[in-house]
Amino acid sequence: MAKIIPFKAVRPTADKVALVTCRTYDDYSSAELAAWLSFNPYSFLHVINPAYVYSQKITLDKRFKGVAHKYQDFKSDEILIEEDKAVFYLYEIQSKNQKFTGIIAGTSVIDYQNNVIKKHEDTLQYRVELFKDYLHQTHFNTEPVLITYPDSTEINTFIALRKQSKPIYDFSTTNKERHILWKIDTQSEIDWLTEHFEKIPNLYIADGHHRSASAELLFQEDQHLGNPNLNFFMSFLIAESNVKIYEFNRLIRDLNGLSKEVFIQKLAENFIIKVKDQELWKPQNKFEFGMYLEGRFYALFYKHESNSDTSLLENLDAQILYDKVLHPLLGIEDLRNDERIDYISGKQSVSVIKDLIDEGEFEVGFMLYPSDINEIKTLADNNLIMPPKSTYIEPKFRSGLVVYEL
């Protein structure tokens, strides 16, 4: 049984919402960040990056306190307003090729601890503790955990009917997305959604493993304070068929001392190799890999055999690449921290990988076939953890759109 709750959110005034909301902080280049902060006084970037000119010169403690103060300034200036009562939201993101629709709600830390909310990625403890400290100091979060639920005809019907009503927001952004938000505030609707989610045995984290782990750590440390908001964390709940899963492709700076000829010879022990020359080739199926090396594309077909002893994790493409290539041949051990490896999401064209290698920054690139939601769920159900940077999942939430206070 999955427990969700409405919450008393803080959000921008309708006339300023397009100016306030922003992409996640890490999504901006330095030049973009400086431009938005210089020319848009309403941007939520001012809250999450206060005194940005001096941000490298102050301690984290002062920085977090600055975030808290700037957030309160936005509330005092009535850029942000607080709901009169606890509500759910229905949120839709439309781009040229995609439409994502889901429910914004509070999800239970206890469900997370009891594995009702399931995980498929590992977390770095220092990042969990850092964001926990951020939450402790600022007392708010505006980036929900992306959680999937099994497709439901009843919920789909509810959403379709609810979308016929007038939204509280309907605005477009400079990255050519349209964002629409409806408030779900009648008691009958709140009760219906709450009861329906109680019938769902498990929810699955798609994106936001560090945020959910930080919420749990904060709950463990501060629950004695009696703040009921610590019992939940904000989530964007979306049907599993509605998420878009991309791969993370790998870029390696060198061949670990191997010549091209020796490297390809060693690859042939585990892969059937076909030269694709200048064709921008991407894998079309599981157990296929693309490679770009010294001006040529290659298709690599893994010589896998049906074997009941092979674990679910060993059959994961990202794990195969690590076990058969990155670790034994290229000497990559730590996928998170090794400076010789970098990642680029499958949203970007293969030509970007080609250009980076042709420019000399990297020696070889590998393209993977994306995992699907069933593979992710099966791993989570078996308490297995995917390798770092295995998936890039959309949708991505706008910072400052809805705020969960602690």
Side-chain angles (χ1 to χ4, degrees), residues 363-380:
E363 185 78 13
V364 62
F366 296 97
M367 288 71 77
L368 287 77
Y369 187 72
S371 295
D372 61 29
I373 191 66
N374 290 323
E375 191 169 45
I376 291 172
K377 286 177 62 179
T378 300
L379 288 164

Side-chain angles (χ1 to χ4, degrees), residues 132-149:
K132 180 267 297 179
D133 291 341
Y134 171 89
L135 296 174
H136 179 77
Q137 293 264 29
T138 64
H139 302 291
F140 76 87
N141 179 34
T142 186
E143 294 188 11
V145 176
L146 181 64
I147 290 181
T148 66
Y149 60 84

Side-chain angles (χ1 to χ4, degrees), residues 78-326:
E78 296 185 346
I79 299 169
L80 300 174
I81 56 173
E82 186 174 353
E83 294 285 4
D84 294 330
K85 64 177 185 177
V87 301
F88 291 126
Y89 296 99
L90 175 63
Y91 177 40
E92 183 164 282
I93 305 169
Q94 299 178 5
S95 64
K96 182 178 180 180
N97 300 314
Q98 300 286 337
K99 182 186 291 186
F100 303 104
T101 312
I103 306 294
I104 303 171
T107 47
S108 168
V109 172
I110 300 299
D111 282 354
Y112 176 85
Q113 291 177 327
N114 293 337
N115 212 31
V116 173
I117 299 175
K118 299 199 171 192
K119 315 96 179 165
H120 70 265
E121 284 187 7
D122 207 353
T123 54
L124 293 173
Q125 190 60 27
Y126 83 90
R127 284 187 59 191
V128 172
E129 292 183 1
L130 180 65
F131 193 63
K132 180 267 297 179
D133 291 341
Y134 171 89
L135 296 174
H136 179 77
Q137 293 264 29
T138 64
H139 302 291
F140 76 87
N141 179 34
T142 186
E143 294 188 11
V145 176
L146 181 64
I147 290 181
T148 66
Y149 60 84
D151 280 70
S152 163
T153 302
E154 293 86 352
I155 293 180
N156 288 343
T157 300
F158 173 87
I159 288 174
L161 290 172
R162 200 63 180 79
K163 284 169 60 177
Q164 295 177 15
S165 63
K166 184 178 180 180
I168 57 173
Y169 298 146
D170 187 346
F171 65 98
S172 296
T173 52
T174 54
N175 60 342
K176 299 182 179 179
E177 288 181 345
R178 183 183 177 191
H179 299 262
I180 312 171
L181 189 76
W182 295 264
K183 188 191 299 188
I184 301 172
D185 56 354
T186 68
Q187 195 59 50
S188 59
E189 291 176 314
I190 289 172
D191 290 344
W192 187 91
L193 272 178
T194 302
E195 291 168 6
H196 195 90
F197 273 90
E198 283 179 352
K199 300 174 184 176
I200 298 174
N202 290 108
L203 304 175
Y204 294 81
I205 297 176
D207 189 28
H209 286 79
H210 285 89
R211 276 165 272 158
S212 50
S214 297
E216 180 197 21
L217 186 58
L218 185 66
F219 169 76
Q220 291 173 344
E221 293 186 3
D222 289 357
Q223 60 179 311
H224 66 279
L225 299 176
N227 179 359
N229 288 354
L230 295 176
N231 300 342
F232 298 87
F233 53 90
M234 182 168 66
S235 294
F236 184 32
L237 298 144
I238 189 167
E240 58 188 36
S241 66
N242 196 206
V243 296
K244 177 65 176 176
I245 304 172
Y246 297 91
E247 75 280 8
F248 262 115
N249 298 312
R250 274 77 167 127
L251 293 162
I252 314 297
R253 299 188 188 278
D254 58 69
L255 292 182
N256 196 31
L258 300 174
S259 68
K260 170 189 171 183
E261 292 72 22
V262 171
F263 178 60
I264 290 179
Q265 182 181 354
K266 289 181 176 292
L267 278 178
E269 296 174 8
N270 289 297
F271 300 89
I272 298 169
I273 303 174
K274 294 185 179 180
V275 180
K276 295 293 183 178
D277 287 319
Q278 296 305 303
E279 179 186 347
L280 297 175
W281 192 83
K282 289 185 68 173
Q284 304 301 305
N285 296 287
K286 186 173 170 57
F287 300 122
E288 297 178 4
F289 303 84
M291 182 176 75
Y292 184 70
L293 174 64
E294 292 190 7
R296 303 178 95 179
F297 283 94
Y298 299 82
L300 310 179
F301 301 92
Y302 182 52
K303 299 175 183 177
H304 67 285
E305 297 179 0
S306 298
N307 188 342
S308 59
D309 293 331
T310 303
S311 73
L312 293 166
L313 191 58
E314 288 173 326
N315 275 327
L316 188 69
D317 282 3
Q319 189 68 43
I320 291 168
L321 186 67
Y322 177 78
D323 289 340
K324 303 301 181 183
V325 182
L326 300 183

Side-chain angles (χ1 to χ4, degrees), residues 57-80:
K57 301 178 183 179
I58 60 176
T59 65
L60 282 174
D61 183 65
K62 288 183 178 179
R63 196 170 184 176
F64 293 163
K65 287 180 179 176
V67 170
H69 289 152
K70 194 66 178 178
Y71 175 67
Q72 292 302 324
D73 287 344
F74 268 47
K75 290 181 70 176
S76 298
D77 292 341
E78 296 185 346
I79 299 169
L80 300 174

